[in-house]
Amino acid sequence: FQEGDKSKFKYAYVGDQKAGLSAEKPPSGRYAGYFMVNQGDGEKPARVEEKKTILKFEKADSGLLAVSGKGTNPYGEFTM
């Protein structure tokens, strides 16, 4: 990998809150989704599924959203 490399990803909220969902203030809670991992050597990127990821969104002093979370995937447990 090189600095600045990026991979596609997609996550969707699968928690209990159904009303008032917004991209400006996504709900904290359970998310499911995936990210792509480059395999190198010209091989196709691998898709890594995550089904029980907990994400927490908080407004930062900068006005942007700070995101923290934890979960598990085929590589093991993680904290972000």
Side-chain angles (χ1 to χ4, degrees):
F1 293 101
Q2 301 293 321
E3 184 175 335
D5 281 356
K6 298 177 181 155
S7 296
K8 290 183 180 184
F9 66 91
K10 183 176 181 178
Y11 289 85
Y13 177 71
V14 293
D16 295 330
Q17 180 181 340
K18 300 300 178 205
L21 298 180
S22 149
E24 288 80 37
K25 177 64 172 90
S28 294
R30 193 163 50 101
Y31 283 74
Y34 67 89
F35 63 92
M36 304 302 287
V37 174
N38 290 329
Q39 301 295 300
D41 297 331
E43 288 188 39
K44 208 171 130 167
R47 183 176 167 138
V48 179
E49 299 281 337
E50 296 181 332
K51 295 181 181 175
K52 296 180 181 177
T53 301
I54 303 297
L55 297 178
K56 182 177 181 182
F57 296 90
E58 296 180 291
K59 196 124 195 164
D61 292 338
S62 66
L64 301 174
L65 287 176
V67 183
S68 59
K70 63 182 180 176
T72 59
N73 62 33
Y75 296 109
E77 293 184 11
F78 64 88
T79 302
M80 55 183 239

